[in-house]
Amino acid sequence: QVQLVESGGGVVQPGESLTLSCTNDGFGFTLSFYPLSWYRQVPGKERELLATIASGGGVRNYAESVKGRFTVSRDKAKNTVYLQMNDLRPNDTAVYYCKARRNYIDYWGRGTQVTVSS
């Protein structure tokens, strides 16, 4: 059963950091077996792909908009994937989602709000 849940969002000031977590609240779904991606969306815009980590964890890809500031990682023991976000900017304000792909099916979490404001 796949029930992805994101957490760690909040309100921060520009330049600060946040770490988002994505885990599975259901049973029998090991995140490390599958590629997982982080996205974000602001109202009126399409969902933007930010980062992807391969199932083995060794290959990671980032959007240009976050490269050098965001880092995706896994903790296999905790069955959790993280998005470390540094040097946050007001235009990083969005709802952040994680997505896992298994057998060509995408599973999404419900999102967590990140607001960057002074």
Side-chain angles (χ1 to χ4, degrees):
Q1 185 180 10
V2 185
Q3 294 179 338
L4 298 181
V5 177
E6 302 92 341
S7 61
V11 180
V12 296
Q13 294 189 346
E16 293 186 340
S17 299
L18 275 177
T19 299
L20 306 183
S21 300
C22 174
T23 190
N24 183 42
D25 259 7
F27 294 99
F29 186 74
T30 303
L31 293 184
S32 62
F33 290 174
Y34 308 100
L36 192 134
S37 300
W38 283 97
Y39 289 73
R40 67 185 178 192
Q41 189 169 27
V42 297
K45 293 190 177 182
E46 291 187 359
R47 203 164 284 190
E48 177 189 10
L49 174 62
L50 302 176
T52 297
I53 186 166
S55 56
V59 178
R60 309 173 195 191
N61 294 294
Y62 298 92
E64 286 298 323
S65 58
V66 303
K67 194 175 291 184
R69 298 190 299 126
F70 291 11
T71 303
V72 60
S73 62
R74 292 185 184 272
D75 185 327
K76 293 181 181 180
K78 295 183 178 179
N79 199 29
T80 300
V81 176
Y82 301 99
L83 185 68
Q84 171 71 39
M85 306 186 295
N86 297 327
D87 189 25
L88 285 163
R89 305 165 182 171
N91 61 3
D92 292 318
T93 296
V95 178
Y96 285 69
Y97 301 88
C98 62
K99 184 200 79 175
R101 170 163 285 196
R102 181 177 71 172
N103 298 332
Y104 304 104
I105 297 173
D106 291 335
Y107 298 89
W108 293 87
R110 294 184 178 180
T112 185
Q113 176 71 45
V114 172
T115 302
V116 185
S117 175
S118 56

